[in-house]
Amino acid sequence: MPPETRDALLDAAEELLDAGGVAAVTLREVGRRAGVSHNAPYKHFASKEALLAAVAARELLRRRDTLAGALAGAEPAEVVLRDALHRYAGWALSYPQRFKLIFGRWTIDSPDLAEAASAASAQLVDTVRAAQSRGTLPAGPPDRLAALLRAVAHGAADLEAAGHLSPTGKGRADAAGLVDDLLAHLRPGR
Amino acid sequence: MPPETRDALLDAAEELLDAGGVAAVTLREVGRRAGVSHNAPYKHFASKEALLAAVAARELLRRRDTLAGALAGAEPAEVVLRDALHRYAGWALSYPQRFKLIFGRWTIDSPDLAEAASAASAQLVDTVRAAQSRGTLPAGPPDRLAALLRAVAHGAADLEAAGHLSPTGKGRADAAGLVDDLLAHLRPGR
DNA sequence: ACCTGAACACCGTTCAAGT
DNA sequence: ACCTGAACACCGTTCAAGT
């Protein structure tokens, strides 16, 4: 285990991010919490922006792994798919600051990250294809269908996190419910 | 016209926001651009956060007006609806920083804003209801259907802005296309 | 290779004045 | 009522050293 300060810095940054948003993560406070000088971070990250990118990268890789686990399940494709979309929305609502960090500035051009993202995306497309051949999703290009499903999960979670989902109580919708609505509308033969 | 410095400050803040994101809007630079001392903003806004909230508020009210215009069109409901959703996504992609500001921190609890948001939402629901009675949208609670449509437009635009929409070229999707896909899937009788 | 302390330019906010 | 200038505490980043 070479650099253990590096992990301590990442942990401290993530903690500050979760607690107070990106504005609260301060290089100096990160150093303080990691027990090093206000200036040691520069030996591990080129800048504050680079530290934030590393936090985002770590979280994205974690997400990729849990998605892979969910999609590898033995259940029918439509169940696995619904579960994965619910998890996506649940994650966004549980860690809104990480969610916003990751999608707020996709200047993260590291090849591992791009690869992680496209691997996750490919897995989702595979599951969509499986559901299509089971007749639980309509025909059509599976990648567009996957993008549509993901857009709903993403948008509904973002709107719910921002409090923009029907604040008035009548037909109250939450992100998971909207995902279910879409899946129901997509079910063929009705 | 009472306070014309106030508008100058809002304009300067918006300019900085569009150019460099929320991190680039600095109270001192805002003052500089507005031709006042680094400190005059405090006579018009309680804090930097309050200035940003006012920028978000102004943009939200503008949006409400253009949405109202689009929804008041004489065309068939499904055309008006499609147009409004396309405009929503187009706005998000044209002004990503304003979009992120507005949905990034919905602590904007001013009553005018809440009212503007819910008025816009009600108009969208009305259009959905009209499309339903024309038979171009499936039955079901119109507010949930409206939330679903908005979630797709919102999520697809956010993902496209972040570069997360199928970076690989095959079944390439953009926000407007995903909105169209959803409307096509929702068309009853097929 | 990793860390420290001083230093610089910048920022948000407050305060005592000015008109 | 609106604005200014000095001041304070804080921050990102750089630099010259230390081990």
Side-chain angles (χ1 to χ4, degrees), chain A residues 27-28 32 39 42 48:
Chain A
L27 229 35
R28 289 170 117 101
R32 244 169 257 139
N39 188 320
Y42 283 96
K48 177 182 176 177

Side-chain angles (χ1 to χ4, degrees), chain A residues 8 10 12 14 18 28 40-41 54 70-73 85 90 93 96 138 146 151 171 174 184 190:
Chain A
L10 285 174
E14 188 175 77
D18 285 339
R28 289 170 117 101
L71 292 184
L85 293 170
L93 287 165
D174 61 354
R190 182 156 236 296

Side-chain angles (χ1 to χ4, degrees), chain B residues 26-28 32 38-39 42 48:
Chain B
T26 249
L27 228 37
R28 290 170 116 101
R32 244 168 258 140
H38 72 275
N39 194 319
Y42 284 97
K48 177 182 175 177

Side-chain angles (χ1 to χ4, degrees), chain A residues 127-145:
Chain A
T127 307
V128 165
R129 210 184 328 256
Q132 285 179 311
S133 61
R134 284 176 50 83
T136 50
L137 275 183
D143 41 6
R144 294 200 58 131
L145 212 42

Side-chain angles (χ1 to χ4, degrees), chain B residues 1 13 23 31 33-34 38 40 43 56 73 78 87 98 106-107 115 134 142 146 154 156 158 160-161 187:
Chain B
M1 63 257 120
R33 299 211 177 197
H38 72 275
K43 297 301 153 183
E78 65 274 13
R87 276 176 204 271
R98 303 183 195 177
W106 182 251
T107 6
E115 208 231 278
R134 284 175 49 82
H154 185 96
D158 198 37
E160 182 178 353
R187 194 143 248 138

Side-chain angles (χ1 to χ4, degrees), chain A residues 20-189:
Chain A
V22 72
V25 34
T26 247
L27 229 35
R28 289 170 117 101
E29 180 65 23
V30 165
R32 244 169 257 139
R33 298 212 178 195
V36 292
S37 95
H38 72 275
N39 188 320
Y42 283 96
K43 296 302 153 182
H44 299 272
F45 305 98
S47 66
K48 177 182 176 177
E49 212 57 26
L51 170 63
L52 287 172
V55 170
R58 197 172 64 159
E59 180 70 13
L60 213 46
L61 290 179
R62 281 191 204 129
R63 280 286 312 153
R64 194 252 332 237
D65 292 343
T66 73
L67 175 67
L71 292 184
E75 287 138 307
E78 65 273 13
V79 175
V80 166
L81 187 62
R82 195 184 97 114
D83 186 51
L85 293 170
H86 281 196
R87 276 174 204 272
Y88 185 89
W91 166 68
L93 287 165
S94 298
Y95 303 101
Q97 303 296 350
R98 303 183 196 179
F99 180 74
K100 299 224 172 279
L101 174 66
I102 286 175
F103 295 104
R105 31 182 115 181
W106 182 251
T107 6
I108 308 171
D109 42 352
S110 124
D112 338 3
L113 281 192
E115 209 231 276
S118 94
S121 169
Q123 260 173 313
L124 192 67
V125 173
D126 284 346
T127 307
V128 165
R129 210 184 328 256
Q132 285 179 311
S133 61
R134 284 176 50 83
T136 50
L137 275 183
D143 41 6
R144 294 200 58 131
L145 212 42
L148 177 61
L149 289 164
R150 196 198 171 183
V152 177
H154 185 96
D158 198 38
L159 286 170
E160 183 179 352
H164 277 245
L165 269 194
S166 56
T168 69
K170 211 183 65 170
R172 230 178 77 71
D174 61 354
L178 289 181
V179 165
D180 290 343
D181 284 0
L182 176 57
L183 288 172
H185 282 299
L186 289 179
R187 195 143 246 137

